[in-house]
Amino acid sequence: MPSSDTASRLEDLTSLMVSLRSHVTIAHHILGRVRLKIGLGALGVVAGRDQGKARFSLTDLSTFVGIESVRLNSAAQSAIVTYDPAVIPEAFWRECLSVPEDQLGPLIAATLRMRAP
C-alpha cells in the first residue's frame, strides 16, 4: 500500500492529467523518450493551478521511479520526458491520454512509484 505522501502525489498527478489531457498529444515517441505537444488550451489549466490550486506540475514527474528527466520547452509548447522502459511500459503514455477518466487514477497508481528520499 502506498504511503500517504505517495498516495497524495499520485492523486495530484491524476488531477493534473485529467485537467491537461484534452490539451496534450503525443508528438513523437521512441522507446524511452516521449515528446508531448501541449496545446494553448493548457494555459488556462496552468493559470488556474498557479492560483493556489496546483500542487503538482509536469516537471514533478521526475519524482517517480523510471522517469529520468522532464524538459519543458515553452517556445515549442512541448515537454520531453525520458523514461526507463523497463520500469514504465511504452503504452503508458498513450493510455494516460486515452483511458476513461475513472481508469486514469488506477493506471497511474499501478505504474508509478515515488523515488526513495
Side-chain angles (χ1 to χ4, degrees):
M1 172 173 268
S3 72
S4 62
D5 183 49
T6 298
S8 175
R9 300 294 283 173
L10 290 171
E11 287 175 19
D12 291 344
L13 173 58
T14 301
S15 173
L16 175 66
M17 289 303 296
V18 165
S19 299
L20 285 179
R21 70 189 195 153
S22 66
H23 306 289
V24 175
T25 58
I26 295 174
H28 187 256
H29 189 189
I30 59 172
L31 193 60
R33 184 178 181 271
V34 62
R35 184 166 63 92
L36 304 171
K37 189 72 174 168
I38 303 168
L40 288 175
L43 294 175
V45 172
V46 172
R49 295 178 74 81
D50 285 345
Q51 295 174 2
K53 298 178 188 175
R55 293 185 307 221
F56 195 94
S57 71
L58 282 177
T59 55
D60 290 331
L61 279 171
S62 62
T63 63
F64 292 100
V65 173
I67 303 291
E68 296 168 359
S69 68
V70 179
R71 290 181 303 151
L72 297 178
N73 183 336
S74 56
Q77 294 177 274
S78 67
I80 297 173
V81 181
T82 55
Y83 66 96
D84 181 349
V87 177
I88 299 172
E90 180 179 15
F92 173 74
W93 307 101
R94 184 183 67 258
E95 290 171 354
C96 278
L97 299 177
S98 64
V99 299
E101 189 174 313
D102 65 333
Q103 295 176 20
L104 184 59
L107 170 67
I108 290 171
T111 306
L112 298 178
R113 301 285 177 260
M114 294 284 295
R115 292 186 192 277

